Amino acid sequence: MTIPRLSAAEVDALLAEAPGWVLRADGLALVRTFRFGDFNAAFGFMTRVALYADKADHHPEWFNVYNRVEVTLTTHDAGGLSARDAAMVRVIEGYL
């Protein structure tokens, strides 16, 4: 099943809505690095996102070291960004 990609205008609107996110150089993903007070706070954030991701069947690519969490969002089935990524950005922003 092919998932529709976001248009350039939709990506621009999403970036305006969530200013901490950056479009990856290839234009196929959004990235953001989060810093928390300590490892427990970072891991708690990841746990909340993971619970949503599992229900939504849309999982971020991420990397964690101590208080830092690097997140990359893309939809492989769409070959770039989709509404699933926009929803994930909004959920993540709500957890901050």
Side-chain angles (χ1 to χ4, degrees):
M1 176 171 134
T2 303
I3 297 170
R5 286 174 66 168
L6 295 178
S7 68
E10 290 170 319
V11 171
D12 289 343
L14 180 59
L15 289 170
E17 178 183 332
W21 294 86
V22 177
L23 187 62
R24 195 170 67 190
D26 64 7
L28 300 177
L30 295 176
V31 296
R32 182 166 178 191
T33 298
F34 299 91
R35 293 199 184 273
F36 298 91
D38 57 23
F39 177 76
N40 284 334
F43 195 81
F45 164 78
M46 292 178 71
T47 300
R48 290 187 300 276
V49 173
L51 291 171
Y52 169 80
D54 204 43
K55 288 179 187 173
D57 194 27
H58 188 61
H59 304 87
E61 298 172 16
W62 52 15
F63 179 77
N64 165 246
V65 174
Y66 185 60
N67 69 333
R68 188 179 79 239
V69 179
E70 299 171 10
V71 179
T72 300
L73 298 176
T74 191
T75 302
H76 299 287
D77 291 339
L81 295 166
S82 76
R84 291 180 176 190
D85 301 300
M88 182 70 74
V89 164
R90 291 179 183 110
V91 165
I92 289 172
E93 290 296 311
Y95 290 150
L96 297 176

